[in-house]
Amino acid sequence: MKNALYIIIGIFFLLSCSTKERQKQETQQSSPSSFSFTSNRELGKEKLSDYNFFKGDLADLSPHENVHPYQLNSALFSDYAHKARFFQIPKGESAEYHPTEVMEFPVGSILIKNFYYPNDFSKPDGNKRILETRLLIHEEKGWKALPYVWNDEQTDAFLEVAGATKSVSWRDNDGNTQKINYSIPNMNQCRSCHLKDGKIMPIGPSARQLNGDFDYAEKGQMNQLKYWHAHGLLSNLPTGKLPKLVNYENESDPLADRARAYLEINCGHCHRPEGPAKNSALHLMASVDNPAAWGVGKTPIAAGKGSGGLKYDIVKGNADQSILTYRMESSDPGTMMPELGRKMVHKEGLALVRQWINEME
């Protein structure tokens, strides 16, 4: 009788533990995350902090020794967002130099791009708000693009395959308050901008874009290509003169070079023979010598209402009659170019391209 009682008590205890464990699991599964975005752990890690790119407070973006900062000579316009770029390469490996295309990064490499707005553009190193971090991860089967959205507390960013919209405001260089609903692209939009020959590829880190000085803090300023090579991050760097894309914001560089650099980084990734807009027959890489390929005297192929009733992509000496500038100064989603990545008109970029066209002879 006594043994039977012990058995009954044991069964009750086990059932009780099982129930508590099930309730605990259900509670964990139904607990709201600290951020209400959908996550997809099959695609990537749930949080940016899970990658361990940065030390200390994540919002400081202070990289570990195996994560390296870089910048481009001419940056893509993204509604005036500032960007902090980094890359990580597997230990003991290096990217391979390429004279015309993006460096050939080994499998396991990750490109990290953080988009943020300083509260006051006249104090770019002051307080800021980070909105998103985009990762390009090089896997065996190719590159993968993942968007991470920062929480309002600025403590972490979370994988959000559907993208997001975040309201942001800042004080511009003229002291005026600007505000927009900033769009963070979804995975398909990331893919559409990064397609080359049907495969996702990085856009920025080419030899032309990296051939410029970077401030490596205590190590001082140094040419990025030479720094990468000296530190075992880049192989097969040739000697002699290296290709270079000018900074379109540097007014000391020739006007045509600046305008072509602007069009390459903002439009050339699509408008090239290997890009998603190849059917337009517009080739806007700065290395192209044929003016007709840039659009001079060229009639549009598939612009539709995007042409604004104008006849040619570029009319020499007349920006007002050029489709190129017509689409740049539009914020209508059915007309504007680029189609993604902006809601605002880039006034300075538009003025640059307009001046270039108006001074064409």
Side-chain angles (χ1 to χ4, degrees), residues 39-204:
S39 62
N40 194 330
R41 296 180 182 179
E42 295 179 358
L43 293 171
K45 296 179 180 179
E46 184 180 11
K47 297 178 294 184
L48 181 64
S49 59
D50 293 337
Y51 291 92
N52 200 30
F53 294 137
F54 305 107
K55 54 190 176 184
D57 289 342
L58 194 64
D60 290 340
L61 301 179
S62 179
H64 283 292
E65 287 188 359
N66 63 340
V67 177
H68 312 279
Y70 71 98
Q71 65 186 16
L72 306 181
N73 289 337
S74 275
L76 178 77
F77 173 73
S78 307
D79 282 337
Y80 293 100
H82 289 216
K83 295 158 189 171
R85 298 176 176 84
F86 303 87
F87 70 97
Q88 185 181 58
I89 285 182
K91 187 176 181 180
E93 298 193 50
S94 62
E96 188 169 347
Y97 176 86
H98 196 291
T100 59
E101 302 295 337
V102 167
M103 303 302 180
E104 296 178 1
F105 289 88
V107 170
S109 300
I110 303 178
L111 303 182
I112 308 148
K113 187 161 62 169
N114 306 278
F115 293 69
Y116 67 95
Y117 285 85
N119 293 350
D120 186 339
F121 275 30
S122 68
K123 302 173 183 175
D125 296 327
N127 293 331
K128 65 181 183 294
R129 183 182 173 198
I130 312 172
L131 297 183
E132 59 163 323
T133 296
R134 301 178 192 174
L135 302 184
L136 273 180
I137 303 175
H138 196 189
E139 299 179 332
E140 289 285 353
K141 58 186 177 182
W143 288 89
K144 178 172 66 180
L146 297 177
Y148 285 79
V149 179
W150 281 72
N151 59 12
D152 292 339
E153 295 79 14
Q154 299 284 275
T155 55
D156 213 332
F158 296 79
L159 176 60
E160 181 45 68
V161 298
T165 299
K166 307 282 281 185
S167 178
V168 60
S169 62
W170 68 94
R171 186 184 296 272
D172 67 18
N173 287 320
D174 295 324
N176 300 315
T177 299
Q178 302 287 345
K179 183 177 182 180
I180 61 166
N181 289 322
Y182 180 90
S183 292
I184 298 169
N186 61 42
M187 280 191 65
N188 285 334
Q189 290 170 326
C190 292
R191 176 181 171 82
S192 67
C193 282
H194 282 273
L195 278 182
K196 180 186 172 192
D197 282 332
K199 299 178 180 178
I200 294 180
M201 292 294 293
I203 293 174

